[in-house]
Amino acid sequence: MIGYAVSGLLMLVGMINLIPAVGVLATERLRTLYGIAPEAPELLLLRHRALLFALLGSFVVLAAFRPQLQPLAFIAALVSMGGFLLLAATGGAHGEAIARIVRADLLGLALLAAAFALYALDSLPSA
């Protein structure tokens, strides 16, 4: 039963990471998501970021169904979301678009922490 909860939580974390993936092909979505100008040259970088999130999110969703991949999924999602939060916290002022991403990553980290706690609990030797 705990394994199903871990899988469900990992699927949610994976889906949070997949949200920006649509930006690989839909640059209008990137403009909305990040609040940048329609002709910003940064769109190429953001499309690449979207591609990396597609990879990460897909891996985390896959790990939801492959328990042997779950430890690596925990690490990858923690480094990505935690790293962004650290950068956002130390990078000075930012606008509402970044604040939305911060809130999404905080939610993702809370879900990831719950998944890890359950995973660790399930891994304890039986008495």
Side-chain angles (χ1 to χ4, degrees), residues 4-127:
Y4 290 119
V6 171
S7 293
L9 290 166
L10 281 175
M11 286 179 49
L12 291 172
V13 171
M15 286 188 252
I16 289 171
N17 281 285
L18 284 169
I19 291 170
V22 70
V24 172
L25 301 174
T27 55
E28 185 58 40
R29 178 72 178 128
L30 286 174
R31 290 181 192 110
T32 303
L33 193 63
Y34 297 110
I36 62 170
E39 299 304 320
E42 295 83 7
L43 279 176
L44 176 60
L45 290 173
L46 293 176
R47 288 179 69 206
H48 182 256
R49 184 179 191 273
L51 178 63
L52 294 175
F53 275 110
L55 291 171
L56 176 63
S58 297
F59 177 72
V60 174
V61 169
L62 174 66
F65 300 99
R66 304 271 172 99
Q68 69 273 22
L69 297 176
Q70 289 175 358
L72 188 54
F74 290 130
I75 293 168
L78 174 65
V79 168
S80 176
M81 293 175 148
F84 179 77
L85 290 172
L86 181 63
L87 290 171
T90 60
H94 45 75
E96 178 54 33
I98 298 299
R100 269 194 317 271
I101 297 165
V102 166
R103 288 190 298 270
D105 279 2
L106 284 170
L107 173 62
L109 277 181
L111 295 170
L112 189 65
F116 181 75
L118 290 171
Y119 178 86
L121 181 66
D122 200 35
S123 298
L124 291 175
S126 300

